[in-house]
Amino acid sequence: MDSAVYITHTASFMPNAPVSNDEMEQRLGIVNGKPSRARALVLRSNGIRSRHYAVDATTGEFTHTNAQLTAEAIRAFAQQGLDINKIDCLATGTSIADQLLPNHGVMVHGELGLPRCEIVSMAGVCLSGISALKYTWLAVRAGEAQCAVATGSELASLQAQARHYQAESEHNVAALQERPEIAFEKDFLRWMLSDGAGACLLQNKPNTQGPSLKIKWIDIISQAHVMPACMYAGCEQQADGSMKGWAHFTPDEWAQRSIFSTKQDVRLLNENVMEQTVEIPMLHLQTKRGIRPDDVTWFLPHMSSEYFRKLIIKHLEAANFPIPQERWFTNLATKGNTGSASAYIMLDELFHSGKLKTGETILMYIPESGRFSSGYVYLEVV
């Protein structure tokens, strides 16, 4: 039996009109009446010119939930002439769902109103979307599904609203003045993350017309055995590096300490992310998969910031895997950093660009700074 699996269709959904750098703070809100000092610094280095928020520009109200963003991406398949009622497996990935329970996948299923099907919801940060893709790949490959959909989605702007930082700012003014890096680590991500959703439809046969992407392999590699947590939410990092979960704090502390806000140790990130997610994994993949630089036609890196471009180049070269810039494809500047959705949104734009030719290959690189993991997806255009 042919166990080949193909991405036959891709889709994405970006809510509302693009938001420029100058419009960001108005859309997300000003904390404690003072414009962010981190915003200009972050925007200078991240290279993002516009992004999308599920926030109405006039009323400030949210136009979509995370589940609704995901459902809209899947509905785009119907606009491509597909019968989404034939989906028999749906795997979703997101960093932070709309609720703790039920899981994100069943909420998307409910939004769509599809017939009964298998539902899987992946946890994590950026890699949750690729974990969903790997699940559907294996499900179709095993013959357990015939028409599977994998998704990645984020509603980052909800957590980035000023009201989620107000209580801590008022309660902890002295501490923030004494250690301004605390404020930066929490403010930093407000200007890095944005909203969007993407989806891939997987089948065991390629399209009869137009391109399909044969999945050669998907590898997900964790470095948590040697690295501490770097990006986290719903907890607070302790002096020894351990995490104290949200349930160990009082409801008052949830607000006063911004427990549910997403935070990132920027210094730890900058000093380690490239070695742990590029250099070490690429050395491993060359041994495991036998892949070489000439085997890559298109390189799709999920970059949170243009700041990392030169570092990716440096560490690819250190791993004896240089990829010339003309083979890179990214839409960070216009779509922003949409976390677990970024890889899907990149792939969707390339898939519908008309640039792909039979026999070309795509290597996708997705790092996750949660505790330094990475995902690599290798595809062939057929």
Side-chain angles (χ1 to χ4, degrees):
M1 183 184 71
D2 183 9
S3 60
V5 179
Y6 304 87
I7 297 174
T8 56
H9 296 82
T10 66
S12 59
F13 178 74
M14 310 304 295
N16 305 314
V19 176
S20 70
N21 290 349
D22 292 337
E23 298 172 302
M24 293 178 72
E25 196 153 25
Q26 179 184 2
R27 203 68 59 91
L28 298 178
I30 297 176
V31 178
N32 205 27
K34 297 179 180 179
S36 167
R37 289 183 294 176
R39 185 178 73 89
L41 176 64
V42 172
L43 292 174
R44 270 202 305 272
S45 62
N46 71 15
I48 301 172
R49 299 192 302 270
S50 66
R51 75 287 293 145
H52 294 256
Y53 293 138
V55 181
D56 186 274
T58 304
T59 65
E61 297 296 321
F62 276 81
T63 58
H64 300 80
T65 64
N66 192 336
Q68 288 168 344
L69 290 175
T70 315
E72 289 296 334
I74 297 171
R75 289 191 182 105
F77 289 134
Q79 297 168 8
Q80 298 176 28
L82 301 171
D83 182 1
I84 61 175
N85 288 309
K86 292 183 178 180
I87 295 172
D88 55 6
C89 176
L90 172 61
T92 63
T94 190
S95 301
I96 298 177
D98 298 310
Q99 64 290 308
L100 294 175
L101 297 171
N103 74 56
H104 183 58
V106 296
M107 299 304 289
V108 175
H109 185 205
E111 284 288 337
L112 290 167
L114 300 177
R116 70 176 63 91
C117 61
E118 180 181 8
I119 301 294
V120 176
S121 190
M122 298 295 184
V125 195
C126 299
L127 279 178
S128 60
I130 296 306
S131 298
L133 183 65
K134 183 158 188 175
Y135 184 93
T136 52
W137 170 49
L138 295 176
V140 176
R141 191 178 183 187
E144 291 292 311
Q146 303 298 315
C147 184
V149 168
T151 70
S153 66
E154 301 294 353
L155 186 63
S157 64
L158 182 57
Q159 274 217 330
Q161 293 293 301
R163 63 178 179 268
H164 295 307
Y165 299 80
Q166 196 77 24
E168 180 183 37
S169 179
E170 294 172 351
H171 176 77
N172 216 20
V173 172
L176 292 176
Q177 288 176 342
E178 185 177 333
R179 289 188 58 204
E181 70 272 16
I182 297 174
F184 180 77
E185 288 172 3
K186 295 178 180 180
D187 198 23
F188 169 75
L189 288 173
R190 295 186 74 208
W191 318 115
M192 293 290 290
L193 303 173
S194 50
D195 304 342
C200 287
L201 189 144
L202 282 65
Q203 297 175 289
N204 60 9
K205 295 179 181 179
N207 292 317
T208 55
Q209 293 183 332
S212 297
L213 303 175
K214 183 178 182 179
I215 301 177
K216 305 288 282 185
W217 45 261
I218 301 174
D219 277 12
I220 297 172
I221 303 163
S222 168
Q223 291 293 112
H225 62 302
V226 293
M227 295 301 299
C230 177
M231 184 177 182
Y232 48 94
C235 58
E236 188 172 83
Q237 194 167 39
Q238 304 301 289
D240 63 358
S242 64
M243 292 293 170
K244 184 176 180 180
W246 62 271
H248 295 279
F249 295 92
T250 67
D252 284 343
E253 288 176 318
W254 294 347
Q256 293 169 0
R257 305 170 82 100
S258 298
I259 293 298
F260 288 99
S261 297
T262 303
K263 310 163 192 76
Q264 188 164 52
D265 185 331
V266 180
R267 179 177 296 176
L268 183 66
L269 175 77
N270 291 345
E271 292 177 353
N272 295 279
V273 67
M274 291 297 105
E275 180 184 14
Q276 300 298 329
T277 70
V278 176
E279 187 173 337
I280 293 173
M282 281 311 308
L283 289 168
H284 166 72
L285 289 174
Q286 288 175 83
T287 300
K288 178 182 179 181
R289 299 294 185 180
I291 189 170
R292 297 293 178 260
D294 289 345
D295 299 330
V296 178
T297 311
W298 297 93
F299 180 54
L300 274 60
H302 164 43
M303 298 186 296
S304 61
S305 169
E306 276 290 337
Y307 168 83
F308 290 113
R309 182 182 290 266
K310 291 182 178 179
L311 295 175
I312 294 174
I313 294 170
K314 174 184 175 181
H315 286 270
L316 282 174
E317 290 175 348
N320 298 313
F321 206 91
I323 302 177
Q325 290 285 285
E326 57 267 24
R327 296 194 219 162
W328 291 37
F329 181 90
T330 175
N331 52 15
L332 175 69
T334 55
K335 297 299 191 295
N337 175 11
T338 51
S340 66
S342 289
Y344 288 88
I345 293 168
M346 261 196 300
L347 187 64
D348 180 51
E349 185 170 324
L350 179 60
F351 189 80
H352 291 105
S353 69
K355 296 178 179 179
L356 296 177
K357 297 179 176 61
T358 300
E360 292 184 336
T361 58
I362 299 170
L363 179 65
M364 303 175 71
Y365 153 64
I366 304 94
E368 175 180 295
S369 61
R371 196 159 174 172
F372 296 100
S373 304
S374 56
Y376 286 85
V377 182
Y378 191 51
L379 311 168
E380 179 185 359
V381 183
V382 300

